[in-house]
């Protein structure tokens, strides 16, 4: 059964290794599921969130995975809209990573709300002025698009492909994939942005608030931009990790380098915009609310200027410079470093825009609000990682994700 | 409907709290809890987990003994008007569970609509919004004191001060029964206003020249919390102490006092 | 067409048949079995003849009256019924139950209220009847003409009276009193321009009807 | 989300927002319907891999 | 794929399509969300007819009028009664949450007899007949064994029919050991006795005063009739009147005052006398009042020709601001300016009695402060202190005494409140434990009746009180709630709560007009409880003989009705009887001292004139072992009397008072630094009588060397909402008998604080 499912012409690890891996990661997954069930049955008192910290680890994780999942929409955009055809060798994986990120994000949202059985109110009773409504709609729609993009991949499984209808379906879906990808890019642009808007529109939260155009604060655009810049880095990073784990080369260097180069330029332009935004905020926006920039970075045990340095310099300027330099992205070590830094950079940005926003005291007689997650929160945040690892393992084992794999790893004797 | 609808001038209910008079005794808090079926738990010492629609903050002037000073600041929901009713919380609620009425100026919260995303809590700089982290539990027999005028909230929803809007509703029943058009000032008062033993709280229609709040809000020592953020709150404070007024908002070091603008 | 296909590989007919089977089975389940399971019935403590009372007292307000504070009395309390029912008034079995079980024991009759709104709803009778000049019938239907009390139907999941969501599973209504959902209140409020002052929806503000 | 729901208003922001939403939903829905129908037709017409390698 | 599998798939797809087109998924989704609106375990309060019942709150001696909002037969809210002469619509936090006592989980629901060990919490519910019989039998046994004096009784309030019934019972029974909870009222009463010659309670026309100097009184922390004082405070603010607070700690009153005078704890009397020094020295006193209506201002001679120094000499000989400054720590110039402003004000008023005034104080201090009022003539005039006759409407004929009773009443009191040492004091509840433990009365205490009091919690040196209780064989509690004392009792005959009973509420403390209130049943009794008057009469009647004969009334209500006489109807109708046209007595009748004038205290007070008033009132502990001084502080949010905090109140306890189960001790940062303690650190607080785990809270509101703990915490028998939280400060303090009154005058205790 196992071998019959494995794509032709590709070598996979022995079944016991695979099962062992799934079992180990599955145990972590079950731990997360247990915590998730606790939260659903007993309520959010299982977390360490409180009335001052209504958004916590989960929402950060949510924003972070969506930013990282941005590789899917941006690669799709590059391939289908811009026409960077080389990216077809990476797009499948980008889609799977995106699918994992987005399904995780939706799951987290379902755990995070106080009344999960009323979760659908966000659609049915939608308030279009709320950034969260926009997030929910675009997120769900884009998740649908990702699912549509993922389906043909599943249908390409050796056994499923044998069914004529599925074969045709897969073929037909591939045929109009550009339409879906374009829709996905459109949706993605908005929801990445609206996630940025979540904190940016909070005009009574001076740390998060940004001015902007029309209904969109600058963070709207910065979030989209940073997701487009850092998402592909994450795709590259996961690809590299997959290559490491499977001990095979799966994608050719030129493909990776192309994506890395685009990513680098995106990151550079993003970080320039981010610096301008930060400067304007520090000099104009915050003082209008009665704050100096240092009010946001002092008198507390965690948030200092270091976090700004980590986000902008280490997580932005450094990886951008590495990636736009041919030598930087050709060198395996610096490429890896750059992608890791970019991922850290965008995660730190999301952290700051979720958690620091709430930590900053706004009423002058208050002090900083600090928070540490409970194990249930940590477990449910790790859950998507475990789920992602399992899904990647299964997908990689049974689906022909990497078109270049057979070429890069020729199998001497075809397995029976 | 046969009869014409009441056409009365839009009201803007608001509050003026005299911090010189407020003694920090907490009667307003208890009256509010009793009025609004607020639940209680065994350990309420973590104030970030404790539901108190009206919270009395303790402000200190930061000076050394014996020049230290303390001021209590009761903080109900500010019922921000924001810009045309777009208060910080109202516009962010994804399910339209919180709303602003142009008719009364009250920010409503509908518990059965709220699904507990807590975005409004993140949006509110005053921390007036409280999440029901736990199921409310009354010891056997104590559910007898629950008021039918305010619905009991379940776990997982956000709640907040309503300016005792049910009291407005109850008062209006009588007004309608007697065939009157308007509510008198003393017919609709919040539970905290009524209870305050120091008479520190004044409540009424900020639009109505005849109401006490109309004049009080223009007191030279009146200010509003975080006014410069544009929340346009409807709760005014009066304090004769400069240090208290300064703690009402954030100011840069070399900035003078920003004068309260009555809306 | 299907016969042609059946000839082709002999499976198409079966497939379509099973599709239809599945479709019909689930339709029956959803439209017939499910409503039966969802709703349960309770009988009123005893039958109440509205018509005969209307003949005697003349108007709804005689029993369902407004108190001096403007609040609505709702279903009359025993004390009020006793005014006439100190002794058995007629020869019906219901009258006998009422007097023997309730009047004699000073026990309130646990009437089941068809129009009972959920706890989150604030409803003012004075606003509708006194200010709005509405008739009882508009919302409550021709209950005054009934001689028997129909069974009280309630939703097993929500516990609410079926009259709120309405009889029709499609949510359709012919008469204004067929349903008492939020949309029904909102519709009438909109038509009559009642407090359409919400910043969010430009319709009725939430606190008009919610508590 | 729908014109008959209480929260629906015919104003600019709603039309832009819901316009975008329904546009995206239609593309997704129509696209998938097209794919599935076409695949059914293709299958019936005997196109595609024979399924028996 | 075979046909069966394909058909099954088709069946499923058909089923899915059909389901989607049926109401099932949609209605289910909708109904599940509606189900969450009110989960089956969420209470839905039934609606009904609204009504309002006026009554009087008796949770503290404040005597506020309350209006209870009812829905059908449920009380849902307590509000202040508008127009009431005491509180005019206002209400305090305890009063506002009173329904949580009525419906609370710690109600004693029926008469109960202890079955396990004392305090173990094992009870059996018994009938009222059994309960009454059990109490009567036990008391009869003690009496017939010739030890009626071995029965003691503690009541909460002193006046009114219920305390009087207990007093009557003790008299008829033959025991001198009738005690009532002591508070500043007792110290004030003795002060007025000595300085006015009247058996009176003080009334303060605070609202009309324009310059108030409070010597540690928690004007807005529950002193006097709390809501009335809040209203007065609000009036001062409105009318730009001045409040000066003399207190070692930045209390809420100090914070609200126009001037906070941080004084060394325990030296308030010295400051008062030093102000008197300035006023006399600078001739600022009310000369007409002093000349015409006061005695012993100048040196004076008694009938035997012995000369005594007058107040003037006394003050001028030792209380110059320079001298006083050394003791009080208050700048001499401040004393001078304070004295000038006080004397220069139109209607000055000086108040004393620390915090809420739950414990009496040093009589010297009370007299010194009252002398200040005398100096400026703030006696029996608008804005001043009025002497209001004690409530005297209980005018029953004396009970007939049998032999046993007469013999018992002859015996000395256990608490030491006898003619010899403390001639002015009726009872000294704080001396009871010591008396029992030392056996000083010469007989053992075999039984104790407790009503309206919670001595195991409220009395200082709780260990000694507990020891005394343990030695008493039979403790009967009449408490409505399972408080600390009830939990240690042998028999509980639960009283109705104040919302279920009819009872007279005499004169709220501090009100400057005679008022009688009437609390009445707002709701029917929720449990099998009985008005304590009926329980007591039941016991007496069961005992029969002269004891039974002393209670001829049919019921408590009959007794109340008879006692109130003509006032009954008004009380029934309005719930209150006010002598609205009351005015202070004219100078002719105002003073009943030997001179028929206001007596400055060197003249009034003949016992131990040589007491050194320059020194602080001594508290327990030596500075060498205990370098710090611990003072208790009161807060409106912490009920510190017999009744504990309600759950609502517990919610309002501030974050710098309690964290989880740990109480914060307020420490000046400099003191903390010297002890190597930081904010929030756990520390061990030790006093000569006990030790406790506390957390450190740095506060600039307290001076160096002084630390403060809140009162009202550290309950152990109450509901889980307050029990087990913090420390009962009474457990860490010991009573110090005032040399004149014998009442507890401790304002603090020496202590030490160390890292734990």
């Amino acid at each position: 059964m196992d071998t019959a499912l494995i794509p032709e012409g590709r070598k996979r690890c022995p079944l016991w290794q695979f099962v062992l891996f799934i079992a180990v990661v599955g145990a972590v997954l079950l731990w997360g599921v247990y915590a998730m069930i606790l939260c659903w049955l007993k309520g959010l008192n299982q977390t360490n969130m409180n009335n001052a910290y209504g958004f916590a680890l989960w929402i950060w994780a949510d924003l972070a995975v969506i930013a990282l999942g941005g590789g899917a929409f941006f690669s799709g955009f590059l391939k289908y809209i811009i026409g960077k055809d080389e990216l077809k060798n990476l797009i499948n994986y980008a889609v799977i990573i995106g699918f994992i990120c987005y399904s995780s994000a939706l799951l987290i949202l379902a755990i995070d709300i106080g009344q999960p059985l009323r979760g659908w109110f966000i659609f049915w009773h939608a308030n279009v002025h709320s950034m969260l409504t926009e997030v929910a709609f675009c997120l769900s729609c884009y998740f649908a698009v990702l699912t549509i993009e993922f389906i043909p991949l599943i249908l390409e499984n050796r056994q499923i492909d044998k069914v004529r209808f599925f074969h045709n379906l897969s073929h037909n879906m591939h045929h109009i994939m550009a339409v879906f990808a374009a829709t996905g890019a459109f949706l993605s642009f908005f929801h990445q942005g609206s996630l940025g808007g979540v904190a940016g529109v909070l005009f009574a939260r001076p740390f998060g608030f940004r001015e902007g155009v029309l209904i969109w604060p600058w963070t709207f655009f910065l979030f989209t931009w940073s997701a487009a810049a850092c998402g592909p880095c994450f795709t590259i990073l996961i690809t590299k990790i997959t290559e490491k784990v499977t001990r095979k080369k799966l994608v050719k260097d030129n493909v990776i380098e192309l994506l890395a180069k685009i990513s680098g330029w995106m990151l550079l332009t993003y970080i320039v915009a981010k610096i301008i935004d930060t400067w304007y905020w520090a000099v104009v926006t915050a003082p209008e609310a009665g704050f100096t920039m240092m009010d946001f970075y002092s008198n507390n045990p965690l948030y200092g200027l270091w976090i700004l340095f980590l986000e902008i310099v280490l997580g932005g300027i450094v990886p951008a410079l590495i990636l736009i330099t041919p030598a930087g992205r050709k060198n395996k070590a610096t490429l890896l470093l750059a992608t890791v830094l970019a991922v850290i950079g965008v995660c730190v940005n999301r952290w700051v825009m979720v958690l620091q926003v709430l930590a900053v005291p706004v009423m002058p007689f208050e002090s900083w609000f600090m928070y540490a997650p409970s194990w249930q929160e940590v477990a449910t945040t790790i859950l998507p990682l475990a789920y992602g690892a399992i899904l990647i393992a299964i997908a990689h084992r049974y689906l022909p994700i990497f078109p270049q794999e057979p070429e890069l790893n020729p199998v001497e004797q075809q397995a029976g | 409907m046969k009869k014409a609808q009441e056409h009365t001038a839009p009201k803007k209910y608001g509050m003026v709290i005299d911090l010189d008079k407020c003694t920090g005794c907490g009667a307003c808090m208890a009256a509010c809890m009793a009025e609004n079926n607020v639940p209680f738990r065994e350990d309420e010492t973590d104030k970030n987990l404790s539901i108190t629609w009206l919270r009395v903050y303790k402000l200190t002037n930061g000076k050394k003994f014996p020049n230290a000073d303390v001021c209590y600041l009761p903080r109900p929901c500010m019922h921000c008007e924001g810009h045309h009713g777009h208060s910080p919380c109202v516009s962010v609620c994804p399910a339209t569970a919180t709303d602003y009425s142009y008719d009364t100026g009250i920010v409503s919260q509908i518990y059965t609509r709220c699904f507990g995303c807590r975005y409004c809590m993140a949006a509110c700089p005053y921390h007036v919004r409280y999440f029901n982290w736990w199921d409310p539990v009354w010891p056997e027999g104590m559910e007898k004191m629950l008021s039918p005028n305010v619905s009991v909230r379940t776990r997982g929803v956000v709640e907040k001060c309503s300016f005792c809007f049910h009291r407005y509703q109850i008062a209006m029943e009588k007004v309608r029964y007697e065939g009157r058009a308007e509510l008198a000032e003393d017919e609709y008062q919040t539970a905290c206003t009524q209870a305050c033993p120091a008479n520190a709280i004044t409540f009424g229609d900020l639009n109505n020249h005849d109401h006490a709040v109309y004049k009080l809000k223009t007191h030279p020592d009146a200010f509003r919390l975080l006014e410069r953020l544009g929340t346009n709150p409807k709760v005014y404070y009066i304090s004769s102490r400069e240090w208290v007024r300064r703690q009402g908002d954030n100011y840069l070091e070399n900035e003078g006092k920003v004068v309260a603008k009555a809306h | 067409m299907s016969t042609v296909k059946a000839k082709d590989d002999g499976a198409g007919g079966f497939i379509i048949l099973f599709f239809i089977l599945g479709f019909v089975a689930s339709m029956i389940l959803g439209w017939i079995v499910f409503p039966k399971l969802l709703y349960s019935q309770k009988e009123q403590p005893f039958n109440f003849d509205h018509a005969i009372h209307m003949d005697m007292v003349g108007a709804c307000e005689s029993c369902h009256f407004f108190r001096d504070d403007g609040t609505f009395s709702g279903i009359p309390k025993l004390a009020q019924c006793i005014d006439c029912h100190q002794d058995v008034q007629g020869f019906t079995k219901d009258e006998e139950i009422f007097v023997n079980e309730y009047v004699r024991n000073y026990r309130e009759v646990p009437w089941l209220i068809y129009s009972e709104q959920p706890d989150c709803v604030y409803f003012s009778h004075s606003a509708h009847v006194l200010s709005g000049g509405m008739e009882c019938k508009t919302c409550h239907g021709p209950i005054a003409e009934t001689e028997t009390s129909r069974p009280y139907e309630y939703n097993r999941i929500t516990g609410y009276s079926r009259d709120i969501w309405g009889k029709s599973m499609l949510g359709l209504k012919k008469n204004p009193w067929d349903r008492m959902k939020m949309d029904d209140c909102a519709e009438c409020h909109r038509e009559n321009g009642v407090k359409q002052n919400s910043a969010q929806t430009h319709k009725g503000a939430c606190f008009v009807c919610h508590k | 989300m729908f014109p008959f729901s209480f929260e629906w208003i015919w104003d600019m922001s709603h039309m832009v927002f819901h316009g975008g939403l329904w546009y995206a939903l239609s593309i997704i829905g129509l696209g998938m319907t097209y794919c599935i129908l076409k695949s059914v037709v293709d299958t019936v017409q005997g196109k595609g891999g024979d399924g028996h390698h | 794929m075979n046909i069966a599998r394909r058909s099954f798939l088709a069946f499923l797809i058909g089923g899915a399509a059909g389901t989607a087109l049926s109401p099932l998924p949609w209605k289910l989704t909708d109904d599940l969300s509606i189900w969450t609106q009110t989960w089956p375990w969420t209470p839905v309060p039934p609606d009904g007819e609204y009504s309002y019942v006026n009554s009087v709150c008796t949770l503290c001696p404040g005597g506020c009028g309350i209006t209870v909002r009812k829905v059908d037969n449920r009380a849902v809210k307590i509000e202040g009664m508008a127009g009431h002469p005491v509180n005019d619509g206002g209400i305090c936090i305890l009063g506002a949450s009173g329904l949580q006592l009525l419906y609370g989980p710690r109600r004693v629901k029926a008469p109960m007899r202890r079955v396990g060990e004392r305090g173990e919490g094992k009870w059996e519910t018994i009938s009222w007949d059994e309960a009454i019989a059990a109490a009567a039998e036990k008391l009869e046994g003690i009496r017939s064994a010739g030890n009626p004096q071995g029965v003691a009784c503690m009541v909460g309030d002193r006046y009114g029919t219920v305390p009087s019934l207990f007093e009557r019972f003790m008299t008829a029974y033959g025991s001198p050991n009738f005690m009532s909870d002591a508070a500043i009222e007792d110290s004030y009463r003795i002060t007025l006795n000595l300085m006015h010659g009247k058996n009176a309670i003080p009334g303060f026309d605070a609202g009309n005063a324009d310059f108030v100097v409070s010597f540690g009184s928690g004007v807005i922390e529950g002193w006097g009739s709390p809501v009335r004082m809040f209203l007065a405070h609000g009036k001062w603010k409105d009318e730009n009147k001045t409040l000066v607070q003399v207190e070692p700690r930045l209390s809420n009153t100090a914070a609200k005052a126009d001037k906070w005078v941080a004084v060394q704890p325990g030296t308030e009397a010295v400051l008062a006398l030093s102000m008197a020094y300035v006023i006399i020295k600078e001739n600022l006193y009310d000369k007409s009042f002093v000349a015409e209506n006061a005695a012993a201002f100048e040196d004076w001679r008694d009938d035997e020709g012995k000369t005594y120094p007058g107040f003037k000499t006394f003050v001028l000989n030792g209380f110059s601001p320079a001298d006083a400054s050394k003791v009080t720590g208050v700048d001499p110039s401040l004393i001078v300016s304070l004295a000038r402003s006080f004397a220069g004000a139109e209607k000055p008023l000086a108040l004393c009695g620390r915090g809420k005034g739950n414990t009496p104080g040093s009589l010297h201090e009370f007299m010194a402060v009252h002398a200040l009022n005398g100096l400026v003539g703030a006696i029996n005039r608008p804005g001043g202190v009025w002497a209001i006759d004690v409530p005297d409407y209980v005018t029953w004929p004396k009970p007939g005494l049998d032999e046993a009773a007469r013999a018992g009443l002859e015996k000395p009191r256990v608490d030491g409140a006898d003619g010899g040492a403390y001639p002015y004091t009726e009872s000294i509840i704080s001396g009871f434990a010591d008396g029992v433990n030392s056996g000083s009365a010469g007989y053992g205490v075999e039984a104790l009746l407790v009503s309206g009091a919670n001595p195991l919690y409220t009395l200082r040196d709780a260990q000694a009180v507990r020891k005394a209780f343990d030695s008493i064989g039979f403790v009967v509690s009449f408490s409505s709630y399972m408080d600390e004392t009830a939990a240690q009792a042998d028999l509980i005959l639960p009283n109705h709560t104040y919302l279920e009973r009819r009872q007279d509420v005499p004169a709220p403390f501090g009100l400057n007009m005679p008022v009688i209130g009437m609390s009445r049943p707002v709701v029917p009794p929720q449990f099998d409880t009985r008005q304590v008057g009926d329980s007591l009469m039941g016991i007496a009647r069961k005992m029969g003989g002269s004891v039974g004969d002393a209670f001829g009334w049919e019921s408590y209500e009959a007794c109340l009705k008879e006692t109130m006489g003509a006032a009954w109807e008004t009380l029934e109708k309005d719930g209150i009887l006010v002598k609205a046209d009351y005015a202070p007595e004219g100078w002719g009748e105002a003073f009943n001292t030997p001179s028929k004038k206001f007596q400055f205290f060197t003249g009034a007070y003949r016992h131990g004139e040589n007491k050194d008033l320059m020194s602080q009132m001594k508290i327990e502990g030596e500075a060498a072992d205990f370098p710090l001084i611990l003072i208790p502080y009161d807060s409106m949010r912490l009920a510190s009397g017999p009744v504990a905090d309600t759950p609502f109140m517990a919610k309002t306890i501030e974050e710098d008072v309690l964290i989880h189960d740990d109480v914060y001790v307020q420490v000046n940062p400099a003191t903390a630094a010297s002890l190597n303690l930081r904010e929030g650190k756990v520390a061990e607080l030790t006093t000569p009588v006990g030790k406790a785990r506390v957390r450190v809270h740095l506060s600039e509101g307290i001076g160096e060397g002084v630390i403060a703990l809140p009162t009202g915490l550290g309950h152990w028998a109450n509901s889980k909402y307050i029990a087990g939280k913090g420390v009962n400060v009474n457990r860490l303090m010991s009573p110090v008998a005032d040399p004149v009154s014998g009442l507890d005058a401790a304002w603090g205790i020496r202590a030490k604080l160390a890292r734990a």
Side-chain angles (χ1 to χ4, degrees), chain C residues 141-155:
Chain C
I143 192 162
E145 297 152 26
T146 59
E147 292 177 357
T148 53
S149 310
R150 63 189 159 98
Y152 170 83
E153 277 188 280
Y154 68 98
N155 185 309

Side-chain angles (χ1 to χ4, degrees), chain E residues 372-458:
Chain E
L372 264 186
N373 285 322
L375 268 189
V376 294
I379 304 289
N380 287 11
R381 76 167 186 205
V385 185
W386 302 8
I388 314 280
D389 288 338
V390 297
D392 54 358
Y393 58 86
V394 179
T395 50
W396 305 324
K398 286 207 158 37
L401 304 179
D402 62 5
E403 194 55 42
R406 272 196 292 273
L409 289 169
E410 289 297 307
K411 295 287 192 301
R413 291 176 63 98
V414 173
D415 64 2
D418 278 308
Y422 307 116
Y424 311 111
T425 315
E426 286 184 351
S427 73
I428 305 173
I429 199 165
S430 54
F432 177 72
D434 206 30
V436 171
N437 293 337
S438 67
S440 59
Y443 55 86
V445 175
E446 292 183 64
L448 175 67
L449 312 178
V450 185
S451 168
N454 186 8
L456 272 174
Y457 178 80
T458 57

Side-chain angles (χ1 to χ4, degrees), chain B residues 8-14 79 81 99-108 162-163 165 168-169 172 183 188 203-207 234, chain C residues 195 197-198 205-208:
Chain B
T8 52
K11 296 171 182 67
K12 208 161 82 173
Y13 283 105
H79 292 273
E81 191 178 359
D99 199 351
Y100 181 92
S101 161
Y102 294 128
D103 208 34
T104 54
I106 282 175
V107 175
S108 55
S162 64
F163 268 171
F165 191 73
Y168 172 86
Q169 301 278 41
M172 283 305 292
L183 201 60
Y188 169 39
F203 180 79
D205 180 5
L206 296 168
N207 281 348
K234 282 201 283 295
Chain C
K195 302 233 176 354
N197 284 308
S198 152
C206 307
F207 267 173
V208 174

Side-chain angles (χ1 to χ4, degrees), chain B residues 22 39 43 45 144 146 149, chain E residues 69 74 256 651 653 660:
Chain B
C22 172
D43 183 0
T45 56
K144 280 189 189 168
L146 292 176
N149 303 119
Chain E
R69 176 156 184 256
R74 298 187 295 124
K256 277 279 156 286
K651 267 177 91 99
I653 299 173
H660 303 306

Side-chain angles (χ1 to χ4, degrees), chain A residues 271-388:
Chain A
I271 211 72
V272 168
K274 169 76 190 169
I275 289 167
I276 294 169
D277 169 71
T278 306
W279 174 81
Y280 185 83
W281 164 77
V283 174
V284 179
T285 317
E288 274 175 7
F291 289 88
T292 65
M293 193 177 88
M294 279 318 288
D295 288 338
F296 301 130
Y297 295 100
S298 49
N299 296 322
N300 78 88
L302 178 64
Y303 299 104
L305 281 179
W306 66 269
I307 203 158
L308 212 55
F309 178 76
L310 178 64
E311 184 197 334
I312 292 180
V313 180
L314 288 184
I317 297 172
V318 172
L321 292 178
I322 292 174
L323 293 178
I324 57 165
T325 338
R329 56 179 185 263
K330 278 199 168 30
N331 180 314
K332 273 187 188 139
T334 49
L335 174 70
L336 204 64
L337 175 73
T339 55
V340 169
L341 285 178
V343 165
I344 291 176
V346 77
C347 288
V348 168
N349 174 263
R350 299 316 193 243
W351 176 279
V352 165
M353 289 309 282
V354 172
L355 288 148
Q356 197 175 344
V357 170
L358 300 181
V360 173
V362 183
M363 288 194 284
F365 44 85
E366 282 179 314
S367 41
W368 282 71
F369 297 96
M370 301 314 271
Y371 137 96
S374 71
W375 73 262
Q376 289 92 330
E377 286 173 89
V378 174
T380 34
T381 308
I382 289 175
L383 188 156
L385 297 182
Y387 145 76

Side-chain angles (χ1 to χ4, degrees), chain A residues 6-27:
Chain A
I6 290 172
E8 275 176 87
R10 311 204 185 198
K11 195 172 174 324
R12 294 290 180 260
C13 67
L15 183 62
W16 69 267
Q17 266 186 14
F18 176 72
V19 171
L20 187 69
F21 175 80
I22 298 287
V24 171
V25 183

